[in-house]
Amino acid sequence: MADNPPGYELADRMALTEPGQVKAVGHPLRTTILQLLHERAATVTELAAAVERPKSTVAHHVDVLARNGLLRVVRTRKVRAIEERFYGRTARLFYVAAETASTGGEVTGDFNDFEVAARESAAAFEQGRLWGFIRHARISEDQASEFWARMAALVEEFDRLPRSGETVYGFAIGVYPTDYPALPASD
């Protein structure tokens, strides 16, 4: 396995600013395909085998990701008379940008990493193998932004870990404003 997966050149981060990009990563199978490609580049055939879905279904989802700039062909090889394409991610980390799209449209709000994490972690919770914390702090927006930058660096570190072991672990983090109660300022 590569010490610095996925073993091909790609950007560290990519902002998703177009509604089609956010919609593309909002589908569970496409999210799984993107996660698999953290390991290494793969063909549609390899991806279909990994997700146990028909090749035509996986090819459709790969095409959606490629059309939206999230995947690209990173190499090819000739197998008999057919050119086999290996797809790779265009960035290690995709994030939904807070600004509106360049086309003037709004970025869809139906993509939620925590919804995905909750769905994925249900079995681990039932098995007593889910580790998690939730904390609240009254801090400024600047402090929240600084903290988020440090967490993004931790996510990048997690993404670069050498692929080994038998289990794929999920890692979900976030900072968000709440309506959690706060004590009034002390006298």
Side-chain angles (χ1 to χ4, degrees):
M1 296 283 170
D3 283 345
N4 192 12
Y8 52 87
E9 291 296 319
L10 72 164
D12 281 332
R13 302 177 71 180
M14 178 180 163
L16 305 181
T17 58
E18 301 296 328
Q21 292 175 320
V22 177
K23 187 175 179 185
V25 297
H27 190 281
L29 181 55
R30 292 193 285 261
T31 302
T32 300
I33 289 168
L34 287 169
Q35 288 302 316
L36 287 169
L37 295 174
H38 258 299
E39 298 273 332
R40 63 174 177 82
T43 65
V44 169
T45 301
E46 291 173 319
L47 292 167
V51 298
E52 299 178 339
R53 297 299 257 317
K55 216 169 118 172
S56 60
T57 299
V58 172
H60 164 74
H61 290 289
V62 164
D63 182 58
V64 169
L65 290 165
R67 274 195 331 259
N68 284 287
L70 305 170
L71 295 184
R72 65 182 174 84
V73 175
V74 296
R75 74 176 185 275
T76 61
R77 78 173 172 201
K78 201 85 150 174
V79 178
R80 288 171 256 203
I82 298 172
E83 187 174 75
E84 197 172 40
R85 290 178 287 223
F86 286 80
Y87 290 89
R89 298 166 61 105
T90 55
R92 289 182 190 284
L93 174 69
F94 298 111
Y95 64 97
V96 179
E99 61 269 359
T100 58
S102 61
T103 58
E106 296 226 358
V107 173
T108 179
D110 63 359
F111 178 65
N112 185 339
D113 282 340
F114 286 109
E115 181 182 344
V116 173
R119 194 171 47 249
E120 285 181 351
S121 65
F125 173 76
E126 290 171 4
Q127 298 166 5
R129 297 181 64 206
L130 176 65
W131 302 288
F133 297 102
I134 187 167
R135 299 290 187 269
H136 298 92
R138 187 167 26 154
I139 58 177
S140 70
E141 190 170 334
D142 286 344
Q143 288 173 304
S145 293
E146 289 170 16
F147 194 76
W148 177 250
R150 291 177 31 220
M151 287 192 295
L154 190 59
V155 168
E156 288 178 21
E157 178 185 336
F158 185 82
D159 281 345
R160 292 176 188 267
L161 290 172
R163 297 326 199 222
S164 61
E166 301 298 317
T167 304
V168 176
Y169 284 87
F171 179 61
I173 60 172
V175 175
Y176 51 92
T178 71
D179 58 0
Y180 202 78
L183 292 171
S186 61
D187 292 335

